Amino acid sequence: MDPAETMQAVIQSKGMQPERSVRRNTRWLRFAMLVWLLSMLVVQGGGAPSAQRRQTQLDWESGALKLTATDVVRSVRAYLSDANDMRRYYAYASALLGRPYYGYYVRSAESWQQQFRAGTKPPSDDSALVCPMRPLVPYRDYLIEYPPGVLLVTVPPALLLPSGDYGDAYDLLFLIEMIVTMGVSIQLALRLRRHLPKLARSELRFDAAMWWACAIGCFALGTVVTHRFDPVVALLLVGLALAVFDSRWFLSGVLLSLATICKGVPLLLAPLWLWFLWVRTAEQTAAERFSALGRVVLGGLLCGLAFVIPLYISSGLSMLDALRYHGERPLQLESTGAALLGTLQALYPGTLRSTVSYGSANVVTIGSSLIGLEWMLLRMQGPAVLAGLIGTLSYCSYRRRSMDSLNQEAMTAELVLRSVCLLMVVFMVSGRVFSPQYLTWIIPLGIFLSLRVSTGLTALFLLLLALSQIIVSALGGPMLQIRAWAFGILLARNLLLFVWGVRLLRARISRAS
């Protein structure tokens, strides 16, 4: 009997018909994608309108809410409504377009500093409108606390709306934009597979597992996934990796520059990707290597100048106010520095207090007992990121020498992707600010790479996403009251996130071609 016929007979005897298996896996993949989409629409888009959210909050504080089905639904929808940042985006975009805007958000840097120094709490109702005589210029007429790339994703939804107070409609349009952005980033992350060592498992099964894990991960992290513009960063990180792996060097420079213009953080990855370019072109001539490098630099410069020149002409050096704004921030409540100081309250009670400023809850020291430690924690991000960059580059160079020469390029590509995740984690856990939405940046890459390593590592990452939402929703009060045990849980989350990044980098890479 022919070998092919023998194999077919064995398959049929075991009931393993390839066509049926493919159809079954395809249905399972489609079901997983549908579950992800429905969970995103229900959880991310299930929040209450602003007026209802404010009324529910007032009823909660006054004890008027009862354990009835109606009030339970109201409470859940109010919990799922996290629209403050989206209303800020809407105000920024409306002011730029010369339309009525929410005056609380459109203010100068000095106006914000006066509020912070006075300790004034944000208003419970931010819907007071200001009608401008002309379009306002960002950074010059009002502070935007983000890099200018944020306008690329926050202005388009406003253009679809008429002039006036349409904040709830803007929220819906922005949510749809971010859900689509996250979905595209997940799908593009799966396309990275063709550049990496091949796994033994079925591609359809892996794709289904990816969508299932992303559905769980987005649900676990909560509404911050799409109520901020951070899915754009996730998309650009994945798109940059695809461009580099496809040797599209000019596009790589454009995407790296665009990611930097949108958030700033991806610029830290430039040395890592340049190292990969250098080892990728090792067998080419010197002219070809420098040509590839030149195209990256050219793409980055052209994209950067397309933003910087108009911004400088319109705003001058006031565009640097956003950098000064963030440079003056205290330790945000969920940062590792705050976690360390808060945990030390078990030994040094009364040396820390909470404050609300810069759009977040923060901690500052009282007296001189911990002021030196606070000073160091505020400045540890630069050295930590530099050490992480040097360490990952050294580790990648060392590990590359022991790779199989027949599959070295694919294994190096996976190692670089893992290093991207670790460097993002180092930035998060070492900064003076660690907002939970930062984890959105690495959801597609983190889940994709974790699934390639093991189920346990994937479960750890999903647990960290869930723990982040629990910390925000359940431990925010105790941390504002400076409870050492709450900060201990926060410190454990940050340490576990770093452990996940290190384990991901050090895990075995498949040698299959």
Side-chain angles (χ1 to χ4, degrees), residues 409-461:
E409 184 173 318
M411 296 176 71
T412 304
E414 180 155 355
L415 190 62
V416 169
L417 286 178
R418 295 180 181 186
S419 300
V420 167
C421 288
L422 178 57
L423 285 175
M424 289 292 96
V425 166
V426 171
F427 175 86
M428 296 176 202
V429 300
S430 64
R432 62 178 66 191
V433 177
F434 185 3
S435 295
Q437 65 262 25
Y438 289 1
L439 292 168
T440 306
W441 306 342
I442 58 172
I443 282 181
L445 279 179
I447 292 178
F448 173 74
L449 295 171
S450 295
L451 283 171
R452 290 179 59 86
V453 174
S454 69
T455 303
L457 197 62
T458 307
L460 174 59
F461 185 64

Side-chain angles (χ1 to χ4, degrees), residues 189-208:
L190 289 170
R191 293 184 61 183
L192 290 168
R193 180 173 46 209
R194 69 177 186 264
H195 299 284
L196 308 180
K198 196 169 185 178
L199 300 179
R201 73 188 76 172
S202 164
E203 291 188 359
L204 288 173
R205 284 185 176 274
F206 184 90
D207 290 358

Side-chain angles (χ1 to χ4, degrees), residues 259-479:
T260 304
I261 291 166
C262 286
K263 200 64 179 181
V265 182
L267 182 62
L268 303 174
L269 304 175
L272 181 65
W273 285 118
L274 289 177
W275 173 84
F276 180 78
L277 181 154
W278 200 249
V279 299
R280 174 81 171 271
T281 58
E283 297 182 358
Q284 299 180 8
T285 64
E288 291 173 330
R289 297 181 84 179
F290 283 104
S291 174
L293 179 61
R295 279 177 280 170
V296 171
V297 174
L298 178 62
L301 283 176
L302 290 179
C303 181
L305 291 175
F307 281 84
V308 171
I309 292 177
L311 189 61
Y312 180 77
I313 293 174
S314 63
S315 306
L317 294 179
S318 60
M319 61 182 179
L320 301 178
D321 286 343
L323 295 177
R324 289 192 288 268
Y325 175 89
H326 289 287
E328 296 171 354
R329 297 185 68 152
L331 290 170
Q332 187 249 0
L333 201 66
E334 296 167 62
S335 64
T336 303
L340 287 169
L341 292 176
T343 306
L344 286 175
Q345 293 307 290
L347 301 176
Y348 299 93
T351 58
L352 201 65
R353 66 179 177 88
S354 61
T355 180
V356 177
S357 60
Y358 295 88
S360 63
N362 314 296
V363 295
V364 293
T365 56
I366 302 174
S368 59
S369 299
L370 298 176
I371 192 171
L373 180 60
E374 180 190 30
W375 184 89
M376 288 190 296
L377 293 173
L378 283 168
R379 291 158 179 81
M380 71 174 179
Q381 187 174 48
V385 170
L386 180 61
L389 182 60
I390 295 174
T392 53
L393 286 174
S394 301
Y395 181 76
C396 289
S397 300
Y398 166 77
R399 192 165 174 180
R400 189 173 186 274
R401 289 196 293 268
S402 61
M403 291 178 180
D404 183 0
S405 59
L406 296 178
N407 203 28
Q408 190 179 56
E409 184 173 318
M411 296 176 71
T412 304
E414 180 155 355
L415 190 62
V416 169
L417 286 178
R418 295 180 181 186
S419 300
V420 167
C421 288
L422 178 57
L423 285 175
M424 289 292 96
V425 166
V426 171
F427 175 86
M428 296 176 202
V429 300
S430 64
R432 62 178 66 191
V433 177
F434 185 3
S435 295
Q437 65 262 25
Y438 289 1
L439 292 168
T440 306
W441 306 342
I442 58 172
I443 282 181
L445 279 179
I447 292 178
F448 173 74
L449 295 171
S450 295
L451 283 171
R452 290 179 59 86
V453 174
S454 69
T455 303
L457 197 62
T458 307
L460 174 59
F461 185 64
L462 296 178
L463 174 64
L464 289 167
L465 296 178
L467 187 57
S468 299
Q469 182 175 181
I470 292 172
I471 288 172
V472 172
S473 58
L475 299 185
M479 287 193 294

Side-chain angles (χ1 to χ4, degrees), residues 141-158:
D141 297 330
Y142 62 99
L143 174 71
I144 292 184
E145 60 179 83
Y146 311 102
V150 67
L151 298 173
L152 293 176
V153 292
T154 57
V155 172

Side-chain angles (χ1 to χ4, degrees), residues 46-48 52-53 55-57 59-61 64-81:
Q52 183 179 332
R53 174 175 61 90
Q55 185 59 50
T56 303
Q57 180 66 27
D59 292 344
W60 171 266
E61 294 173 353
L65 290 179
K66 307 298 181 182
L67 194 59
T68 63
T70 302
D71 283 353
V72 168
V73 171
R74 285 179 59 201
S75 300
V76 171
R77 293 196 67 194
Y79 177 77
L80 295 178
S81 179

